[in-house]
Amino acid sequence: MQTTYDGLALEGLAREKFGLVVDVKQVLLADAPVSHTSTASVFLTKNKQLYVFVTGQARLNLGDIRKIITRMGLKAELFLPPRGEIDYFNEFARERFKEVYPGRSNVSDSDLAYYKTLTPYRPALVQIAEVKDGHIYQFDTDSADGWRSALSFSYRRIKTS
């Protein structure tokens, strides 16, 4: 019963915050800790796409979310921008770059790479390409490396044309 409510909540949040209509088939991991103040929910859609929804009290940016996804043992395919703003990460990076280098007019993607990681990104919705070693991890202060296996799950997205 709790999984149904979690699924409905995730569907609503994806639609409201990211402009993405998803149909949650199964919530694999609900509100798992991924830092001292942040949690993540991992869910599978009826189209067999795996997503992670990350939220918390701390200010998170794209660099933090990338690190969290990696430490969870996942490989990200797509970081969905808030409110469906397609160029959200690039616009923020371009603004910050112009503040630091106001005289530069010729800006390349490699110039913006660092500034993209500074983009505020809370809450975050990430489409997953694969679960690296068959385990999804969660934050745990009592373990040696700070992370422990929360779920055994195999997933690899195969791109089709």
Side-chain angles (χ1 to χ4, degrees):
M1 193 67 147
Q2 182 65 28
T3 307
T4 305
Y5 291 127
D6 291 340
L8 291 173
L10 289 167
E11 287 174 4
L13 287 167
R15 187 172 35 260
E16 176 187 332
K17 303 284 185 186
F18 299 94
L20 179 70
V21 177
V22 293
D23 197 4
V24 176
K25 177 182 178 183
Q26 181 181 10
V27 177
L28 302 172
L29 201 58
D31 296 326
V34 291
S35 74
H36 289 286
T37 60
S38 302
T39 61
S41 294
V42 180
F43 62 95
L44 195 62
T45 67
K46 291 190 177 172
N47 297 343
K48 296 183 176 32
Q49 293 179 333
L50 189 66
Y51 287 93
V52 177
F53 179 78
V54 181
T55 190
Q57 297 173 346
R59 288 189 209 168
L60 298 171
N61 58 36
L62 181 59
D64 297 331
I65 299 300
R66 282 183 178 167
K67 189 182 292 184
I68 286 170
I69 295 298
T70 301
R71 289 190 176 163
M72 287 180 75
L74 306 171
K75 182 178 177 187
E77 181 172 335
L78 179 64
F79 295 91
L80 284 97
R83 298 173 301 281
E85 296 174 21
I86 296 168
D87 210 27
Y88 174 74
F89 300 112
N90 287 328
E91 286 178 13
F92 183 88
R94 217 171 267 111
E95 288 173 16
R96 291 299 173 263
F97 187 84
K98 290 289 185 185
E99 288 175 9
V100 176
Y101 302 103
R104 292 240 347 238
S105 59
N106 192 7
V107 181
S108 69
D109 284 342
S110 62
D111 293 332
L112 299 178
Y114 168 72
Y115 295 96
K116 282 183 187 178
T117 64
L118 303 177
T119 307
Y121 195 35
R122 185 197 66 168
L125 185 62
V126 183
Q127 185 176 358
I128 302 300
E130 92 180 77
V131 177
K132 291 181 187 172
D133 66 355
H135 295 282
I136 298 175
Y137 295 89
Q138 72 180 28
F139 182 70
D140 184 6
T141 56
D142 293 336
S143 70
D145 64 351
W147 293 82
R148 69 173 169 87
S149 178
L151 176 70
S152 293
F153 187 73
S154 295
Y155 178 84
R156 177 174 287 145
R157 183 176 158 95
I158 300 170
K159 291 187 179 182
T160 57
S161 57

